[in-house]
Structure formats: C-alpha cells, structure tokens
Amino acid sequence: MVLSKLIMKPFQNLSKSIKANNPFSIFTKNLSGFPLDSRNITNDLISIFTKQPFSPNNPELESLAPLLNTKVVETVLNGLKNWKIALHFFTWASNQGPYKHNVYVYNAMASILSRARQKAPLRALSMDVVNSRCLMSPGALGFLIRCLGNAGLVVEANLLFDQVQKMGLCVPNSYSYTCLLEVLSKSSCIDLLEMRLKEMHDHGWGFDKYTLTPVLQVYCNMAEFDKALDVFNEIHDRGWVDEYVFSILVLAFSKWGKVDKACELIETMEEKNVRLNKKTFCSLIYGFVKESRVDKALHLFDKMKKSGFTPDISLYDVIIGGLCVNKDVKKALCLYSEMKGFKIQPDVKIVTKLVSSFSEEEELTCFFEEMHEDMDPKASTLLYNSVLNSLVDNGSVHKAYHLLQAIMIGNCIGDGEIGKLFRGKEMVPPSSTTISIVINGLIKTGDLDLAVGLFRDMARIGCKPDLLLYNNLIDGLCTSNRLQESCGLLQEMEESGIEPTSFTNNCIFGCLCRRHDISGALHLLKKMRIHGHVPWIKHSTFLVKELCKHGKEVEACKFLVDMAEEGFQPDIVAYSACLDGLIKIQEVDQALKLFQDICAQGYCPDVIAYNILIKGLCKTQRNAEAQNLLHEMEEKGLVPSAVTYNTLIDGLCKTDHLEEAMLFLSMMIEKEREPNVITYSTLINGLCNAGRPDDALLLWNEMGRKGCTPSSIAYMAFIHGLSNCGRPNEALVYLREMEEREMKPDTYVYVGLLSAFLVDSNQPLAFEILQEMVDKGKFPDLHDKNHISVRNAILKLSEDARTSLSIKNLLAKGSIPSASLSVTGIKDGVEPAI
C-alpha cells in the first residue's frame, strides 16, 4: 500500500503533505500493476453502482460478491465520482461476508466523505472503525485523523486517537501525533493541544518543525501572541525557521490588526535573509488595505517589486481600490499609469473605481480626455463599461440606461455631467458586455420590462447575448414568476446554439417548484438528466415542504419517488420535510416505512430526521419505539440534541412515566446536553399533573440554581399546575414574581387561580383575582372555553356575604360584560338563578 510506503519515508519529507491544500493527494495509488481479473471486477462494480436506477437485486452483484477483497473495494471507491454512490457501495460491501474492510478501505471512504464535507457519515465511519476493531499502522491512523480534521470533526479525531490506543489497535508515533496536532490547530482547543504536546513528550517522541508549526498556528489563530512568540523563538533557536513559519506569524499579526508588529517582523525576516514569498506579500497587502493602512500596503508593494515579483492586475485592483476609498486619487492615477507602463491592461473594475472616486468634475474631465487620446475601439468600450458600471453601482441604473440608449444611437445628447463628457466625441457601438452591464443592473432593481426591451435591442445593433446574460435574465424572470417568458428565452438560447447550463435549468426548475407544478418539474428533470444536470436540492426541498404545508403529503412522497426514478436522489432535508408532513397527518407507520427505505438506500439520516420521527412516536404514545430510535442515533454516531431529549421527556410525562422522564433529565446532564427552560417546564408541568407539587417546587428551584431563566410559558404552566394541586397561595406568589418581571399571564392562569381559591373557600382572594382579570382586560368572552368557569365563579362569589356586594358593584359599573349578567341573573339586586 502507498500509505505503508509513505510511513517509511524520512520525517523531513512530510512538510509538503502538511502544508498542501489537498492532504489526500499523497495517497493516490498507482494501479498499473493491478491484475486483469481484478480490474474487470472493479469495472463491473463501478458500472453496476453508477447505473441509474440502481437495483440491489442485480444478479451480477450476487456473482461478484464472493470475489471481493480489500484491494478491489478500495479501487472501486476511488473510481466512483459521487460520495453517495461510494457510501452505498461501501455499505453493501461491508454486508458481503466473509469480506471485511481493512484500514485502507476505511481511509479511502473517509477521504471521499471528507472532501464532500459529509460530517454525519464520516462520524459514523470513525465509530465503525473502532467497533470493528480494525488494526492500523501509525501512518494510517494519522491519515484518518486528518480526514476527520479536514471535515471539521476535531472532537471525533481526538476521541478516535484515544480509542485506538486504549483498545490496542495502534501505537501512535510522532507522525500520528503531528497529524493530531495539525487537526487541533484548526480549532480553539489550546488546552487540549498543550496536553497532547506534553503527552507526546512524555512518550519520548521528540519535537521537530512539523510538530511545533501547528502549535504556532493555533496560538496565532487565538491571538495568544506571547505564547506564539515563545514557540516561534524555539523554532528559530533550533534553526527551523523558514518562509512558511515566518508567514504564519506575520499573517496573524496582520489578521488581528497589529500592522506595525507585522512590519517589524518583516524587517526581522529581511535581516535574517528570509524572504517573503509572493503569496504572503499579496496576503499582507490585502490585509493592510482591509485595515485601512494603505500606506503600509504601498510600502510592502514597493518591497515586493524590488524583490523581483511582478504584481498582477488583482493586486493593482486592491491597492487602487484602497486609495480611491481614501480619496487619494493622485496616487491611484500614478498606479494606473504604472500599470500601463508594465503593459498590464486595466480592467473595467479598476477604471470604474477611478471614475467613481473623482469628486471634482475637472478631475473626471481630465481623466476622460487622457483616455480619449489615441483611443481605439477596445479602449472606448472599456471606458463605456467603466462609466456604466459606476452608475449602476451607485444606484443610478436609469441614468445608465439612458446613457446606453444614447451610445447605441451614436449621439450622446444627455444633459448630465456624464452626458457632457461624451458629447462631441466619436461614439463606438457598444459591445454585448456594455449592454449586459445595464441589463444586469435593471434585473437587480426589478425593472424587467426595460431589461427585456434592451435585450431585444441587442439584435438590432448586431450584438449577440452570451450565456451569462441569458442566465441572468432567465433567473430574473423566474424569480418574478414569469415562467412563460423564461421558457421562451430558453428556447431562443438553444436555437442560437448556446447550450443551457445546470444554472439555466435550475432557475426554471425552481420557478416550477415555487408554482407547485409537479408534472412540469418532473418533465424538466427528465431533460436535465439527459444533459447531465443535477437539480438543486433547495428547490425540490421547497416543493416538498410546500406540498406538505398544504396537506399534500402523499403527492410530496410520490414526487420524491419519481425524482429517485429519474436518477436524482433527494436530499435528507427533503425527506425530513416529507416525514414531518406524514407525522402531522398522523401517518406515523408510513413515516417509519419511508425512514427505513431511506436508510436502505444508503442515506445517513441526521438528528433532525430522527427528532421528527421521535416526536411522532411520542405523540401516539409509542414511547418505547421512540427510545429505540434514540439508541439507534447514538449507535450511528449522532449526538442527540436538547430537542431530542425534550421530546422524549414530554412523551413520558404525558403518559405518566415521570420516573423515566426524570432519568432522561439526568442523562442530559451526564452527556453535557444542557437542559433548557423547555426541559424543566415540561417536567414541572408533568409533576403538577401527577399531583406532586413539592417535587415540582424542588425542580423549579433547581432550574434557577442552574442559571436557567424561566420564560412566561414556564411561569404560566407552573402557576396553573400549583393551582390545580390546591396550592393557590404559592401560585399567587409566583404570579406576582412573574408580573414583577413584566410578563403578562394569559386568561387561563387567572381562571385557574380563581377556581383554586374558591375550592379553598378563600372568596376574598378569589374576588381579588377576578378584579385583576377585569382591570387587565383578561375577562373571557362568550366563545372562550374559560367563560363557563368564570361565570360559575361569579355566581359563588355573589352568594358569599364577604364578596356579594363587591360583585354587585362590578355589575353596576358594567365592569363585567353584559352577556355574563344575563347568564348569572345577578342584576339590580335580583337573586341569582342558574
């Protein structure tokens, strides 16, 4: 294996692999010596798995399964261009006994998932490596760790490192540790990195430049400059400093706004005859301009030229842009002239910035006159484009439109300052690019009719629209739901010989999805498949969500099936939307079947998908199945969220399984999933409903100690729960506390308290609550379910000597709605009759 060969190389050859943008390139295999039979097996497997639609019952697969070996599987994985297909094949191969993946197969799959930034399946793969007790060399471990790190799975990489050691699957060497340090340097885990560095030292592995470089990087990333300088000095004292190490420190100073420090370090580098490379020069100049230190950028720009590096147009663009922002037009013009001296042709962006920066008409006129001298058609077009760009960028799209119209007829008659500059000058017919600038500006401002009209004028003057213009106009029309015109442009585009791109078709696909046009979307998908265009996930997901939102869950599911039959596998987000729709119409079993089908197709459902199913199961009181899904999540390497636990706790509380619910609270704390106000509110409400107000009070106090601030919903649930448990006095205390926090209780909270005080035969306090309801406008109307309870409460209060007069006064003042009077029969001294 190439990996084994790599480990045998001297350690100093690792610098390129550590600094390379693509860390996986060093593991490319040379398969020229691959046996012919194995090549045939490999090609057959690639053909079967890439053919759409894929059939797991293909008889060829059955005949190929016994021929599998790790070399074949690894080669097939490297030959598949789609990560989903690769993962599907990887999963299929793992189920073909007696075949078993080795570490190189795992690393091939890890490399694919890492490049595709697929965190969930990569996380699951790292757990599978450990669970399968796969032995590995130190180099293979390092490679796998770097795959995890490049996908941002720093925690998982660190955990894997510990697990393989603990289980005796690998004995890490200095290379393994260096890879881990490199991964940790991409995070803010300074303490963890320092611990690993000490651990490496304690195991007897010495440090070298490649060990200390990630340490320097993480200190620089976290602006720990004192520590960074200590590491830098150690690297320097050992004679390991090179351009790359210097650049890390210099760029860090620049990034954190310490421009002067960066300049001092550059001088130190020069004293030690260490030169900055061109990339670092450019990065620093960009950084200095960003920090509005154009003076430092110019100084470094001069040093760069003296070092023999030739600036490119992008660097001129950045510095001229910075000078224009600072209104230092003279220096900007000097650089503009310097460019021409270097035979670097200024582009439209640079001229646009110059044109936009002139504050005096005289300066602008001089610049125009200079450009008009010996101006050829190409230069004229550049000037037009720059002026029109400047107008569009400054929001004067209509001025740009009118100026373009004048240029098109060859007679600039505008009265504005720009029009005067062009007046009397020989006009050159505008190019397609010139017209496109204005059309794109009109599209952005929503002036589609003007944009379409200008588009039609292009043919009259002999200009041909390009692919980009067609795409922009189709996109604008589709965004405005002008589908018919978009399709007309698409047809024109094809007839003119311009091949529509994936972007073109996706604009129209998106419009069809927004219109809920399923048949139109599927018809376009067939056309896209023929051209090799992949539909954008966001559009199909939006359509599924909209269908589910409007009660068309069955149509949504069928659309996903039809998409898959066309060879386009929907995203897990679209499937999750469909699952959610099925759950909302209580089709839980159908949702479970869809979920199982998704898994069988090689998908790795995310936490959101699991949460949707768990919620559906809990709502239908299928708590045991919901808990099984939780365990399945964890087995697949997914980390349950607070929402997951809250859903399970809510389901258990509503089915009177409070002890189990409390266990999940403990589990959350153990697994560092911080319980939130919803967690505590759900449990407190459950305890109150179960007649356990003392336990509810204990949990309420614990919530406060944990720093979890109660919401208005939490207060209302707690107050209502205490009232229902016959504890109105305590409930009243929390009502006042809630009001002190400027939270407004709903009507049902007052009604619960009112009823509780009446049950407790405390009519005076009951009347006080009623009075408060009236004063705060919380008295329920006739259609409110609380109305009958309040009516009965008024009746009881009117029958009690302590409160009857107060009730009559409220009635006399009209404080209680008249509808309640007719129901209670309490008016003008008449005795109640219900």
Side-chain angles (χ1 to χ4, degrees):
M1 302 301 292
V2 172
L3 183 57
S4 303
K5 294 177 182 177
L6 176 71
I7 299 166
M8 299 302 293
K9 291 183 179 180
F11 197 81
Q12 61 266 27
N13 291 337
L14 289 172
S15 62
K16 292 182 180 179
S17 68
I18 289 175
K19 292 186 278 185
N21 290 328
N22 179 5
F24 312 110
S25 59
I26 57 173
F27 293 91
T28 303
K29 303 200 179 295
N30 180 2
L31 299 177
S32 58
F34 207 40
L36 185 58
D37 289 345
S38 296
R39 287 188 199 175
N40 292 336
I41 296 168
T42 298
N43 293 334
D44 288 345
L45 286 169
I46 290 173
S47 176
I48 291 169
F49 275 86
T50 53
K51 185 178 179 181
Q52 295 294 338
F54 170 76
S55 173
N57 300 319
N58 190 321
E60 286 186 73
L61 279 180
E62 293 182 16
S63 62
L64 290 171
L67 305 177
L68 287 179
N69 58 50
T70 54
K71 186 77 171 178
V72 167
V73 174
E74 186 181 0
T75 309
V76 172
L77 287 173
N78 290 327
L80 294 170
K81 301 191 181 301
N82 183 290
W83 72 267
K84 291 182 181 178
I85 297 174
L87 183 58
H88 190 185
F89 169 72
F90 178 84
T91 306
W92 172 84
S94 66
N95 295 323
Q96 308 306 312
Y99 168 79
K100 186 178 180 182
H101 294 320
N102 67 6
V103 69
Y104 303 110
V105 174
Y106 276 115
N107 277 353
M109 190 68 243
S111 174
I112 293 167
L113 293 173
S114 182
R115 288 196 299 269
R117 307 294 292 178
Q118 295 300 315
K119 294 187 178 183
L122 184 56
R123 186 185 290 113
L125 182 140
S126 70
M127 292 183 68
D128 190 38
V129 171
V130 175
N131 293 336
S132 65
R133 296 187 171 274
C134 180
L135 296 174
M136 61 188 76
S137 65
L141 171 61
F143 179 76
L144 183 53
I145 283 170
R146 293 179 72 195
C147 288
L148 292 167
N150 276 276
L153 299 176
V154 177
V155 174
E156 289 77 2
N158 188 64
L159 178 62
L160 175 71
F161 193 86
D162 284 334
Q163 287 177 318
V164 296
Q165 287 189 88
K166 185 177 180 181
M167 297 174 68
L169 303 177
C170 178
V171 178
N173 63 7
S174 60
Y175 173 74
S176 313
Y177 271 102
T178 298
C179 290
L180 181 60
L181 291 174
E182 179 191 343
V183 169
L184 294 176
S185 72
K186 297 174 182 178
S187 70
S188 56
C189 307
I190 291 180
D191 293 340
L192 184 57
L193 183 135
E194 290 175 344
M195 183 198 80
R196 290 298 187 188
L197 199 64
K198 182 178 183 302
E199 183 181 299
M200 184 178 177
H201 179 267
D202 292 344
H203 279 80
W205 297 110
F207 300 158
D208 62 7
K209 179 170 66 174
Y210 308 109
T211 311
L212 296 178
T213 300
V215 181
L216 176 65
Q217 185 75 68
V218 75
Y219 285 146
C220 287
N221 289 345
M222 299 306 297
E224 294 278 356
F225 292 117
D226 291 338
K227 290 184 176 180
L229 286 170
D230 287 341
V231 176
F232 177 80
N233 289 333
E234 185 171 350
I235 294 173
H236 176 266
D237 292 344
R238 298 191 184 193
W240 295 336
V241 173
D242 58 12
E243 293 177 12
Y244 180 65
V245 172
F246 257 124
S247 297
I248 291 174
L249 199 56
V250 172
L251 291 172
F253 282 133
S254 174
K255 175 185 174 182
W256 293 100
K258 296 182 177 292
V259 177
D260 294 327
K261 284 280 187 184
C263 291
E264 288 176 16
L265 193 58
I266 292 168
E267 291 176 3
T268 304
M269 290 173 67
E270 290 173 344
E271 290 172 3
K272 298 182 180 299
N273 295 320
V274 178
R275 293 178 59 199
L276 289 175
N277 56 34
K278 186 176 180 179
K279 182 180 178 181
T280 306
F281 267 121
C282 292
S283 297
L284 286 169
I285 290 169
Y286 276 81
F288 290 167
V289 172
K290 186 179 177 181
E291 291 292 325
S292 300
R293 295 297 300 272
V294 186
D295 55 333
K296 296 290 185 184
L298 282 171
H299 179 68
L300 204 57
F301 185 65
D302 289 336
K303 282 191 174 184
M304 177 180 170
K305 290 183 288 186
K306 289 176 182 176
S307 297
F309 297 116
T310 303
D312 57 18
I313 190 168
S314 62
L315 205 55
Y316 275 108
D317 179 37
V318 168
I319 300 176
I320 289 174
L323 291 168
C324 288
V325 168
N326 291 345
K327 300 299 180 184
D328 197 342
V329 181
K330 289 183 179 179
K331 286 183 180 178
L333 287 172
C334 286
L335 281 182
Y336 174 78
S337 300
E338 183 182 293
M339 281 182 71
K340 294 197 292 185
F342 281 131
K343 305 297 182 185
I344 299 175
Q345 185 64 38
D347 64 6
V348 66
K349 291 194 296 183
I350 291 174
V351 179
T352 300
K353 288 171 183 174
L354 286 167
V355 169
S356 302
S357 67
F358 293 119
S359 56
E360 300 292 334
E361 186 177 344
E362 183 180 344
E363 293 175 340
L364 184 59
T365 304
C366 290
F367 181 67
F368 265 59
E369 292 296 338
E370 181 184 339
M371 287 201 69
H372 267 293
E373 292 177 7
D374 304 321
M375 184 178 284
D376 57 14
K378 186 176 180 181
S380 295
T381 301
L382 173 64
L383 185 58
Y384 295 159
N385 294 353
S386 302
V387 172
L388 292 171
N389 250 324
S390 177
L391 290 170
V392 169
D393 290 345
N394 291 326
S396 302
V397 180
H398 286 137
K399 284 185 179 180
Y401 172 75
H402 292 303
L403 177 60
L404 177 60
Q405 292 281 10
I407 293 171
M408 289 170 72
I409 63 174
N411 182 19
C412 194
I413 55 174
D415 292 328
E417 291 181 7
I418 299 295
K420 291 176 184 177
L421 293 171
F422 283 102
R423 192 177 301 161
K425 301 291 191 296
E426 183 180 349
M427 308 301 289
V428 175
S431 67
S432 297
T433 305
T434 307
I435 300 173
S436 297
I437 290 168
V438 180
I439 291 177
N440 289 330
L442 292 168
I443 292 169
K444 287 178 182 177
T445 56
D447 293 305
L448 288 173
D449 292 330
L450 287 178
V452 171
L454 199 52
F455 181 84
R456 298 300 174 202
D457 288 340
M458 290 181 73
R460 182 176 58 79
I461 63 171
C463 289
K464 291 184 178 180
D466 59 7
L467 172 64
L468 182 60
L469 184 57
Y470 268 115
N471 279 351
N472 288 343
L473 194 51
I474 288 173
D475 181 38
L477 291 168
C478 286
T479 302
S480 298
N481 199 26
R482 293 165 67 165
L483 180 63
Q484 189 173 353
E485 291 172 86
S486 300
C487 292
L489 277 178
L490 177 63
Q491 186 176 345
E492 286 181 30
M493 185 177 177
E494 292 172 328
E495 290 172 355
S496 66
I498 298 176
E499 186 73 25
T501 63
S502 178
F503 178 87
T504 321
N505 283 321
N506 269 298
C507 289
I508 296 176
F509 179 64
C511 189
L512 290 164
C513 289
R514 288 190 292 273
R515 284 169 164 244
H516 304 178
D517 187 346
I518 299 175
S519 61
L522 288 172
H523 177 74
L524 183 59
L525 283 177
K526 292 178 181 178
K527 182 179 175 182
M528 292 174 73
R529 177 170 55 80
I530 294 169
H531 290 88
H533 297 161
V534 179
W536 291 346
I537 290 167
K538 66 177 182 179
H539 294 321
S540 53
T541 303
F542 175 82
L543 176 56
V544 170
K545 285 183 176 179
E546 283 294 299
L547 290 172
C548 292
K549 183 179 175 182
H550 291 86
K552 298 180 179 179
E553 292 80 6
V554 175
E555 290 93 329
C557 291
K558 188 176 184 307
F559 173 70
L560 292 179
V561 171
D562 291 340
M563 264 192 80
E565 287 179 355
E566 289 300 330
F568 300 117
Q569 292 295 335
D571 185 73
I572 190 64
V573 178
Y575 277 120
S576 295
C578 208
L579 289 171
D580 191 44
L582 291 170
I583 293 296
K584 284 177 180 175
I585 61 171
Q586 299 181 353
E587 291 287 350
V588 180
D589 289 322
Q590 193 175 340
L592 281 168
K593 184 180 182 305
L594 176 60
F595 185 81
Q596 289 162 1
D597 291 342
I598 293 168
C599 295
Q601 292 170 19
Y603 279 92
C604 289
D606 56 12
V607 174
I608 294 172
Y610 273 102
N611 283 350
I612 290 168
L613 272 184
I614 289 170
K615 182 179 179 181
L617 290 167
C618 288
K619 276 190 173 182
T620 52
Q621 300 185 2
R622 294 161 67 172
N623 294 326
E625 292 174 77
Q627 291 180 48
N628 288 338
L629 278 180
L630 173 69
H631 299 318
E632 184 181 307
M633 282 176 70
E634 293 174 326
E635 286 171 2
K636 289 185 176 180
L638 295 173
V639 179
S641 64
V643 173
T644 316
Y645 288 110
N646 288 347
T647 304
L648 286 162
I649 288 170
D650 184 56
L652 290 166
C653 286
K654 286 177 179 174
T655 53
D656 298 325
H657 292 86
L658 281 167
E659 299 309 322
E660 284 186 70
M662 293 299 291
L663 285 175
F664 273 107
L665 174 65
S666 302
M667 193 185 298
M668 287 181 76
I669 296 168
E670 286 172 11
K671 296 189 176 183
E672 298 183 350
R673 309 304 294 173
E674 196 67 35
N676 55 30
V677 67
I678 296 173
T679 318
Y680 286 110
S681 300
T682 304
L683 284 165
I684 288 166
N685 190 50
L687 289 166
C688 288
N689 289 339
R692 295 166 59 179
D694 292 327
D695 291 334
L697 280 164
L698 288 172
L699 198 56
W700 179 273
N701 293 330
E702 182 185 327
M703 178 172 68
R705 287 195 301 274
K706 295 281 187 180
C708 189
T709 305
S711 63
S712 60
I713 295 172
Y715 267 112
M716 290 191 290
F718 188 39
I719 294 165
H720 191 65
L722 289 173
S723 299
N724 288 343
C725 289
R727 308 279 277 270
N729 291 310
E730 288 165 284
L732 184 59
V733 170
Y734 288 102
L735 175 68
R736 298 303 175 223
E737 184 180 302
M738 181 182 181
E739 291 171 337
E740 285 174 7
R741 296 192 178 193
E742 298 182 353
M743 297 178 184
K744 296 180 180 179
D746 290 342
T747 299
Y748 81 91
V749 178
Y750 289 108
V751 175
L753 262 175
L754 176 61
S755 301
F757 278 124
L758 286 173
V759 170
D760 205 32
S761 299
N762 194 336
Q763 270 72 1
L765 273 178
F767 177 78
E768 183 183 319
I769 296 299
L770 178 66
Q771 180 73 59
E772 193 170 329
M773 288 175 68
V774 170
D775 294 342
K776 294 186 176 180
K778 297 293 183 180
F779 197 93
D781 59 34
L782 282 171
H783 303 292
D784 193 318
K785 64 180 180 180
N786 294 303
H787 183 269
I788 295 175
S789 299
V790 175
R791 185 194 68 181
N792 293 336
I794 292 172
L795 175 59
K796 288 183 180 180
L797 291 170
S798 69
E799 293 174 340
D800 190 281
R802 293 171 292 176
T803 54
S804 59
L805 183 60
S806 299
I807 289 293
K808 289 178 181 178
N809 289 335
L810 279 179
L811 293 170
K813 292 177 184 177
S815 300
I816 297 176
S818 58
S820 298
L821 306 183
S822 60
V823 176
T824 60
I826 309 168
K827 190 176 180 182
D828 300 328
V830 179
E831 291 300 320
I834 293 188

